[in-house]
Structures are given as C-alpha cells and as structure tokens.
Amino acid sequence: RQNAGLLTEETTLRLFSLSDDEPDVRRSLADVTMDTAPYIHSFGVTENYVILPRMPVKFSAQEVAMKPMAAAFQSMDLTEEGPGNAFHVIPLDGSPRFVRTLPLDMPLWYVHTVNAFENSTGIVIDLTDRKS
C-alpha cells in the first residue's frame, strides 16, 4: 500500500509527529489512504487537526520512468463530488478522519498553505489559490 503509486494507483500517506524531547524518535499519527497518489505541496496543522488539501490532480510514478516529470501530474476527470477535490481532516487525538468535499464547479487549485487555525466557527485554512 505504501508504494507511492509505483505498482497501483492507491497510495498511503503516513503522518508522523516529532518531539523536541526525543528528536530522533518519530511517532506515527495516522495513515491516510487515497485512491490515487495526490499532489499535496503543503498542508495545514492546528492544535487538534492536520488538514490535507486534495487538488483534483494525481501523481503517476509510472509516467516519470519514461517521460518528463510534468507528465507525472495528471488532471483527474471528476464526475461527482468526492475525496479527489476536498479537504482531508485528520484529528490529532486519533479520532476518525473526515473529508469535506468541494463542489465540482469549484476545483481546488492552490499553491501554498499560509495558515491554519481553529476558532468558534470551526477549522480555518488559508491557502493561496488559483481560480480555474
């Protein structure tokens, strides 16, 4: 499952925590399995959550073997709302993760995560984006 799309398209992202007290020790927080290898350039972390913005792009390791790197980034043809155009939210307390999908007519095209925090309305993530 952790093959970065080399043998199958399914990919598992593993999230770790590090501590100043034990800098050589990493603790596994969560595994996030996706149908295709995502392109996640940056992500958000709040006191209680990791937020993975998922653009409708997949990374194809097979394409890199014989073609230029740009060929590895492929647009996903979405026909319905789903996890390919969404925010994947992973609670740091081990609770089940959840996905907040975006409408098909609002594909998420972002460049960088600027900030992430929690307030009285919920989780907020600030992204630099590009309208499609």
Side-chain angles (χ1 to χ4, degrees), residues 60 63-73:
S60 173
E63 294 294 326
V64 174
M66 303 299 285
K67 297 178 182 176
M69 183 63 141
F73 300 98

Side-chain angles (χ1 to χ4, degrees), residues 15 30-34 46 48-54 82-102 117-118 121-125:
L15 305 178
D31 286 353
V32 180
T33 302
M34 296 188 179
T46 70
N48 298 300
Y49 301 95
V50 172
I51 306 102
L52 302 175
R54 174 70 196 260
N85 185 44
F87 292 98
H88 296 253
V89 182
I90 298 87
L92 294 174
D93 68 2
S95 301
R97 72 179 179 125
F98 55 96
V99 177
R100 294 292 185 250
T101 61
L102 297 169
F117 58 94
E118 298 169 55
T121 64
I123 303 167
V124 178
I125 186 166

Side-chain angles (χ1 to χ4, degrees), residues 40-115:
I40 297 177
H41 178 73
S42 62
F43 57 93
V45 179
T46 70
E47 185 175 337
N48 298 300
Y49 301 95
V50 172
I51 306 102
L52 302 175
R54 174 70 196 260
M55 295 187 285
V57 172
K58 65 181 180 177
F59 180 80
S60 173
Q62 295 97 343
E63 294 294 326
V64 174
M66 303 299 285
K67 297 178 182 176
M69 183 63 141
F73 300 98
Q74 301 171 353
S75 184
M76 296 170 61
D77 295 322
L78 301 177
T79 57
E80 60 185 35
E81 287 184 24
N85 185 44
F87 292 98
H88 296 253
V89 182
I90 298 87
L92 294 174
D93 68 2
S95 301
R97 72 179 179 125
F98 55 96
V99 177
R100 294 292 185 250
T101 61
L102 297 169
L104 283 176
D105 63 348
M106 292 180 61
L108 176 62
W109 301 112
Y110 77 100
V111 181
H112 289 105
T113 302
V114 178
N115 194 14

Side-chain angles (χ1 to χ4, degrees), residues 5-26:
L6 292 174
L7 304 174
T8 66
E9 288 195 340
E10 183 179 272
T11 300
T12 299
L13 305 176
R14 179 162 288 162
L15 305 178
F16 293 96
S17 69
L18 302 172
S19 167
D20 288 336
D21 297 332
E22 297 178 280
D24 296 330
V25 176
R26 61 183 184 178

